[in-house]
Amino acid sequence: MTAQLFGTNKKSGNCYALAIRCFVVLLLLNSLNCFSQSALPKSIDSIEKKINLYGIKNQSPILFVHFDKNIYSTSENVWFTGYLLNVADHSLYKTLSVTLVNDNSHSVIQNDKFVMKGGLTFGNMVIPDTLTAGNYSFICFTNRLTNGNPDVVFTQAVTVKTSNKSPAKKLSTTLEVPSQFAKVRFYPEGGSLVNNIQSIVGWEVKSASGVPLAVSGLVYQDKNIIDTIKTNGYGMGKFALTPLAGSNYYVKLYAVNKQDTLYKLPKALTQGPVITLQQAVVNDTLMVNIHDEQHKKLYLIGHNYKQLLFAMPVIMAAPNKKLKIIIQKIPKGLTQLTVTDSLGRPFAERVFFAHYDRKTQLHIATTQDEYATRQKVNVSIRMDAGKADSGFVSVACVQDNRIEIRKQNDIESYIYLKRELGNIPLRENYFGNSEADKQYLENILLIKGWRRYTWVDVLNTNPIDTIRKKEGLVFKGTVTKSGKPLKQPVEVAVIGHSLTTVSTDNAGNFILYDDAMVTDPGKKAAFSVNGHNTPDYRVHVVGPYPVVYEKLAKQLEPINYSKQEQENTFYMELINNDHAIHLNEVKIKGGKNTSFYGTEANTPTGRMVDRYTISTPFGKVNLPNRDNQLKGGEIVDTQWGRKEVTRETTFIPSSSAHLGENIDMYRFTGIYLAQEFYPADYSAGPSGPQYLSTLYWKHLIKVTPGKDTEFSFDTSDITGRFKIVIQGVTGNDVVYGEKIFNVVKPK
């Protein structure tokens, strides 16, 4: 199955058209079975059909959203790029909803919606200045539902630091130690221990609150010590065990408080196969060992819960069978091994990671590793030739202390690990080349791979389970006259980024699809009943998104990273460095816009339009005047600081949109187009202090294998470490890279 990444929608500058022509993502491949199917029983054919049905039942798009950082201060901009993968028809996906939720109260703080085209979406939001410090999450979903729920959801945890004080709480000084309250779990390789057969047992230890613990312990056979074991800093470890019939096995932990606790291992089966992998992180060759004292013929099935990748008979001429399997044609990523008998009954399962060496290397180079404040940084990026197709990436350069590793998401580990295995122990680099990196992943597959063991669900899947109700979210409206339902249809004008008209039914009801609700950033869509110059008409619109994001907010299961009162640590550093923005005088003037409204006209029969531009060192930027609150001479907050407003009145003639003075216009928050990020530009000369934690943000930069892609930006007045983060998609993979540089004061 191939999954097209970009659709056919157009965007100014032909960026989307380029994306469409350049590549198709191949995250799900049509893979040839590695072995002949002629010798396989009908039960295996039945299993293949079940796997295919299970894949159809659970098929869903893949959404990843790249945020510029994950630590924000109040009144600060959040920039993001969304990538929608594994979609056959991108034209159905028109909107990305982004909701900010408080992790503790599950309350919705803010929601905005953004245009999605061809599987891409870009946007920005401002963190409200009323928030208290703490943990929050951005919940992202599209306009498509399956069986009443969003068919794809992505969550990004963030930290907000602010000067707003949270309720005072006493900090706990209690040291968590592995005691009788520690959570200890055992994961025999293949799923079960079997008497008289050696197995590898993965084990994991966490505190009562879920923090991984590095501990030591003793393995007991009845009352005798037979082994000493330990977990690493991720709370994971493994040991070998050959259980004997009639014996019980325990692990005793040595706690800091000297209290011993016994944890019982699962009881061993009397018979059955045991599967062992020499390595679970492999390239093109997989070495498998199957041990069974009873069965003479087994079957080894490789699949990804979407399709059968290979199946082969295993003749057990001796109790132990070693297999060498060439996996060159199966997809990169997690693959499941299942051992069954001739009736298709599963006995053992194991997950492995295929083609670990197939990485799209992204090289990021800067002209130097250290820069002065307000100095230009020139960056070049290059992908290795011959290993990847062309692609598109988003780029962020941010203050390094604005990225918490524990809350960091990258597209590579998300696509290949986290999406499949859930929350996994924290690590800065999940796909490094060192032995420590690979050993970490080996432990993950042994312990966290159990999340994928859903064979019973596979076998219970029926064709009726694949029938799913798919629908799109739509806006619904009603027109009334003098507070009463209509008796005949009317025409409703929807004025957003463009003009759309829609007819109501006899009762005044109408439906609006997302395309009609598109507006410029910060603007609202306006509604008017066309051709009826009377104030009696009223338009009421109900958006479909609140029901969905309120439900998702209640279902949010955030990770308990730390106590709320600790989240505001070092806030003064944020204040001093990048929260207090100082600019020279800024003037705001009404701007002419003839794209829809026609030429500017100073006529008393017109309506004033809220279109402003703000001249800054970064360039001219749209400034939304929400709900007509700005007045000349007022002091207002912009994202760059508090500045005095001078306002010029702009009138729009009623004839341009058939709007009379007496027509009621209902304003409704729309779906925003992308807004460009304007980096600092000091070429105009000195200005006030510039404390910017995000130096650069850019979406949809094209990258070509073997060719350099270059861009540049200026540092601000913040010193210290900065990190360039680049991630995106190519025609056959996803790509991710980082680069660190330092900023110092001029000497």
Side-chain angles (χ1 to χ4, degrees), residues 559-605:
I559 300 173
N560 184 20
Y561 293 103
S562 63
K563 298 183 182 299
Q564 181 180 3
E565 55 268 29
Q566 295 173 327
E567 290 301 327
N568 218 28
T569 307
F570 307 125
Y571 172 70
M572 290 309 297
E573 179 181 348
L574 290 177
I575 291 292
N576 294 333
N577 280 344
D578 55 3
H579 183 73
I581 310 301
H582 304 281
L583 294 181
N584 293 330
E585 180 182 2
V586 176
K587 283 192 175 182
I588 301 174
K589 295 185 177 181
K592 297 182 181 180
N593 187 310
T594 60
S595 60
F596 165 71
Y597 294 103
T599 57
E600 180 179 4
N602 189 6
T603 166
T605 62

Side-chain angles (χ1 to χ4, degrees), residues 545-557:
Y545 289 88
V547 174
V548 180
Y549 62 67
E550 290 284 356
K551 180 179 179 181
L552 292 175
K554 292 179 181 178
Q555 296 173 345
L556 177 67
E557 296 182 358

Side-chain angles (χ1 to χ4, degrees), residues 579-633:
H579 183 73
I581 310 301
H582 304 281
L583 294 181
N584 293 330
E585 180 182 2
V586 176
K587 283 192 175 182
I588 301 174
K589 295 185 177 181
K592 297 182 181 180
N593 187 310
T594 60
S595 60
F596 165 71
Y597 294 103
T599 57
E600 180 179 4
N602 189 6
T603 166
T605 62
R607 178 175 296 276
M608 188 167 63
V609 176
D610 298 312
R611 289 184 178 273
Y612 293 89
T613 57
I614 180 169
S615 298
T616 78
F618 315 148
K620 293 184 180 297
V621 184
N622 290 330
L623 176 67
N625 179 17
R626 300 185 178 182
D627 302 320
N628 297 318
Q629 294 300 310
L630 295 187
K631 297 179 180 179

Side-chain angles (χ1 to χ4, degrees), residues 34-51:
C34 298
F35 302 94
S36 171
Q37 305 292 303
S38 59
L40 299 178
K42 292 183 178 180
S43 60
I44 303 301
D45 292 335
S46 176
I47 288 174
E48 180 176 13
K49 293 177 182 178
K50 291 288 188 179
I51 292 174

Side-chain angles (χ1 to χ4, degrees), residues 203-221:
W203 71 306
E204 183 180 34
V205 182
K206 292 183 178 180
S207 70
S209 61
V211 177
L213 297 175
V215 299
S216 296
L218 298 174
V219 180
Y220 280 79
Q221 179 185 350

Side-chain angles (χ1 to χ4, degrees), residues 5-6 23 25 83 85 120 389-393 411 703 727-735:
L5 178 60
F6 293 114
F23 62 98
V25 76
Y83 299 92
L85 312 178
L120 282 172
D389 296 336
S390 296
F392 286 84
V393 298
I411 195 168
V703 289
Q727 50 190 331
V729 290
T730 70
N732 58 355
D733 205 354
V734 295
V735 61

